[in-house]
Amino acid sequence: MLKKSLLASSVAAVLSLGVMPAMAEEVAVVEIEEEAEGPNYVSATVGVSNLYLWRGLNLSDGKGSGSIYGSLDWSHDLGFYAGVWGASGDGSLGTEYDLYGGYTFETGDFFADIMFANYVYPEQDDEPFGDNTGSDVIVTLGFAGVEGSYTKRIAGGGYDDAYLTLGYSYAQFGATLGYQHFADYEGDGEDANYTHLDVNYAFNDNLTFTVSKVVDRNSDAGTLADVAPDATLFVVAYDMAFDL
């Protein structure tokens, strides 16, 4: 029996499913156990959620729209992987698809991963994504249920930002604390940051419930209070994984 870990987003990867949307960064780790022949594996995911959750924020832009998302992933026994993830539901940037690849290493209860992700918004031509794309590098380390990650923008449009997470999972329960930093948030030399807490409960392999809340922010950073409000977000996501 072979156990493989696929980092799929929501890109927004990894990209965290605070809920699946958002590979656009948070790293979602999908574990699949299967009898397999050969070193290469191909799988797919498809899912739906009541809103687009990304780093503690509701990207549905308060419009109450849900999100449909899916991915196609390839991985190798040596630890290399690549994939594409797409989603609807972003109220500001529109449809999104993400291309990503990386390497993951596992031994016992420890794992390490490095991922490169490119986010593309075909409908977006304006700032902050003037060239409608951006690229991040994501480094993740985990041991015995504890997991931490660091994400840094390395190319393309968007803010010069960094994102850190620290989380713990046990059985069906999990909690993640995330810290988002924007450099020169509004072009006036002022930085902005906020911290959010996500608490997850996996009812089964497909159905996940998440409560997310921004718990701290530097309130003097222009419109950050509008971007990262105090409202508590409740997210329900249903997704399925398939071996191809």
Side-chain angles (χ1 to χ4, degrees), residues 39-112:
N40 295 286
Y41 311 94
V42 179
S43 63
T45 63
V46 61
V48 61
S49 65
N50 64 309
L51 59 83
Y52 193 133
L53 180 66
W54 178 80
R55 300 183 185 181
L57 306 182
N58 179 7
L59 296 192
S60 299
D61 202 23
K63 298 177 181 179
S65 60
S67 178
I68 299 173
Y69 53 89
S71 69
L72 179 64
D73 297 276
W74 164 87
S75 65
H76 192 279
D77 271 348
L78 293 177
F80 297 98
Y81 62 89
V84 57
W85 181 90
S88 66
D90 190 320
S92 297
L93 299 179
T95 302
E96 168 191 353
Y97 70 88
D98 308 326
L99 305 172
Y100 50 92
Y103 176 78
T104 188
F105 170 79
E106 297 181 56
T107 178
D109 291 333
F110 172 81
F111 81 90

Side-chain angles (χ1 to χ4, degrees), residues 73-210:
D73 297 276
W74 164 87
S75 65
H76 192 279
D77 271 348
L78 293 177
F80 297 98
Y81 62 89
V84 57
W85 181 90
S88 66
D90 190 320
S92 297
L93 299 179
T95 302
E96 168 191 353
Y97 70 88
D98 308 326
L99 305 172
Y100 50 92
Y103 176 78
T104 188
F105 170 79
E106 297 181 56
T107 178
D109 291 333
F110 172 81
F111 81 90
D113 182 273
I114 182 169
M115 172 190 287
F116 295 91
N118 186 62
Y119 318 122
V120 181
Y121 304 89
E123 302 169 17
Q124 181 61 228
D125 294 320
D126 300 325
E127 294 294 340
F129 289 88
D131 57 354
N132 77 5
T133 185
S135 299
D136 286 354
V137 59
I138 306 104
V139 178
T140 306
L141 300 175
F143 179 78
V146 178
E147 181 177 314
S149 70
Y150 174 72
T151 302
K152 177 64 178 174
R153 177 56 50 92
I154 56 175
Y159 300 103
D160 178 15
D161 63 353
Y163 179 63
L164 297 92
T165 68
L166 180 63
Y168 178 74
S169 61
Y170 178 78
Q172 298 117 308
F173 298 91
T176 299
L177 192 67
Y179 174 79
Q180 172 68 58
H181 174 79
F182 296 107
D184 193 14
Y185 181 66
E186 294 187 312
D188 56 5
E190 294 291 327
D191 293 349
N193 59 72
Y194 68 89
T195 302
H196 70 92
L197 176 65
D198 294 353
V199 178
N200 303 312
Y201 171 69
F203 179 77
N204 54 34
D205 291 341
N206 307 111
L207 182 62
T208 303
F209 299 92
T210 300

Side-chain angles (χ1 to χ4, degrees), residues 209-241:
F209 299 92
T210 300
V211 178
S212 181
K213 183 176 178 59
V214 172
V215 295
D216 184 60
R217 65 172 182 267
N218 60 334
S219 58
D220 59 345
T223 59
L224 186 61
D226 297 325
V227 176
D230 294 325
T232 301
L233 302 175
F234 298 93
V235 188
V236 180
Y238 186 88
D239 55 70
M240 297 178 291

